[in-house]
Structures are given as C-alpha cells and as structure tokens.
Amino acid sequence: MGKTVLTQRKGAGSVYTLHGHKRLGPARLRIRDYSERHGFVRGTVKTIEHEAGRGAPLARVEFRDPYKYKRVKELFIAPEGLFTGQSIVCGKNAPLAVGNVLPIGSVPEGCIVCNVEEKPGDRGALARASGDHCIVVSHKPELGYTYVKLPSGNTKKLRSTCRGVVGIVAGGGRVEKPVLKAGNSFFRFRGKRNCWPKVRGVARNPVEHPHGGGNHQHIGHPSTVSRHCPPGQKVGLIAARRTGRIRGGRALKGAYHPDE
C-alpha cells in the first residue's frame, strides 16, 4: 500500500499548522456600518507594527465607537506613506488621500487601491501582500459595477460598493533582495508554518510518493491526475485543463499592430 504521502499528512494538521502565537490578529477594514455607508468616520494611526510571517507592516488605527462611549482599535494593512498620528477617513464621503478607505465606485479611473473587498462588507480580500495594488479600470454606474485590474494582471468585475484603501501596500521590493543562504529561508518560513524545505516527489522512494523511484529522476507517467482520484494519488497537475507553456497571445481588438 505504501506510506501516507506528505500532502495527506499536511491535511491532518498537527505539526503543519500555523505558527500563530506571535501574530497580532486579523488585518481587515472596519465593519461596514451606517456611518461608512452614508458619511464618513475619522480615525488616528496609533502605531505601525511588524507581524511575524507577514511581509507588509500593519497599522493600529483608533476610532470612536459610533454607538457607545468608547474607543475601538482596528488593525489595517499599512499603505506606503502612512505615518503615526495621521488621520484616516473611512466612508462614502471620504476624500481621495493615501490611507483613506472609500468605495471603489467613488474612486476615479486609474487610481491605485489596495486591500480591496471582493464582496461588499468582507473587510478586504484582494491586493494585501507587500507592494501589491489594484488599478481601477472603469465604472459601470448604471449597473453598479467597477472593473479592477488585479496584481496578477487579470481584470475583475466588482460591486461598486466594495471598499478599498487608497495607495499601494507598504514593504514593496521585499522579494528582490537575494536570499543568499539557506539559513535566511529557514528563518523566513519558521514564522509561517512547517513548509520548508520541500523535497521533490521524483527525489523520493516509490513507497513515499507516486513520482518516486526509478533509475533516473523522472515521473514515468503523465503528471495530470483526475479530480476524483483518491488521496495519496492526488499529486501533480490536478484536473488540468491544459499543460505546457502558454504560447502566443490572443489578439486584442483595436490594438495597434505596426505590421498592418
């Protein structure tokens, strides 16, 4: 029968779970309440902090509770240029300034935003890694949609009421620094989870992995596997629609072609 494959053991958790005892908490926008939907709320950046296992810095922003006599602190992903003591305005009527939170339908076309909601009220899901940003491409106010260009280059249609932070996530250029030695990778992943180093399947024995064994390191059969294959066999390119390099490109209608 063979051994339990590593991906199966990861699914059980145990030593493969998150190293979260140094995490500061979930970084997300304010709850989308009445004051944000119809006006604005003003907050103050108290501190900018580092979180283990995250490349982007986090900002603690203090707001006055709209319903009770108290102050509420939120943990935001810090955009580039944010500083302690800065005022942050959240809401429909917020001005267009770095660090402010407003619906992407109120942002002009071509503006750069980050930590964008995928669905209204989910408190931020897109462009959250260090140096990431989205670009507002166009608006469809009659339909209530806005088209946004994601960090991957894809364009996504979102509801215009989805919120975003004006600016680019701080900490950009982090991956441009060379790793130089294995020890740097060791400490980098120690703050995340037990996922380093990674041993390739073809480098293992046949008892340990479907790609293992053989006199040369080769898979020996197609690397594509079915969506419905059992655990332990489900390694490689799962339910692949196509494989290989993406060659050529789809011609854009109306694009400039100098050879024409």
Side-chain angles (χ1 to χ4, degrees), residues 11-164:
S14 79
V15 296
Y16 297 103
T17 51
L18 168 80
H19 296 172
H21 66 289
K22 287 189 177 178
R23 299 294 172 100
L24 305 179
R28 48 194 186 177
L29 304 175
R30 287 181 75 252
I31 291 176
R32 189 166 166 266
D33 54 7
Y34 182 88
S35 50
E36 277 209 34
R37 291 196 306 271
H38 299 279
F40 66 89
V41 181
R42 192 180 299 276
T44 307
V45 179
K46 290 297 180 183
T47 56
I48 293 176
E49 304 176 29
H50 168 73
E51 184 180 57
R54 187 192 289 268
L58 299 181
R60 286 205 187 272
V61 187
E62 189 178 79
F63 295 92
R64 296 172 78 170
D65 191 282
Y67 304 109
K68 294 183 180 179
Y69 181 70
K70 63 177 182 179
R71 294 182 183 276
V72 181
K73 282 189 177 178
E74 301 283 353
L75 203 60
F76 281 17
I77 293 174
E80 206 167 282
L82 200 75
F83 56 89
T84 54
Q86 178 179 342
S87 280
I88 282 184
V89 184
C90 305
K92 178 185 171 186
N93 298 332
L96 191 70
V98 171
N100 286 358
V101 182
L102 56 162
I104 55 174
S106 306
V107 175
E109 295 174 2
C111 187
I112 288 175
V113 290
C114 63
N115 197 12
V116 183
E117 292 181 327
E118 201 168 2
K119 298 180 178 64
D122 70 5
R123 304 177 72 177
L126 306 171
R128 293 163 56 91
S130 55
D132 275 2
H133 66 276
C134 293
I135 300 173
V136 178
V137 178
S138 63
H139 298 291
K140 287 282 181 69
E142 66 278 1
L143 300 175
Y145 286 107
T146 297
Y147 289 88
V148 171
K149 189 178 182 183
L150 301 179
S152 63
N154 292 340
T155 303
K156 191 172 178 69
K157 183 173 78 169
L158 301 173
R159 298 297 296 265
S160 296
T161 50
C162 292
R163 297 171 296 168

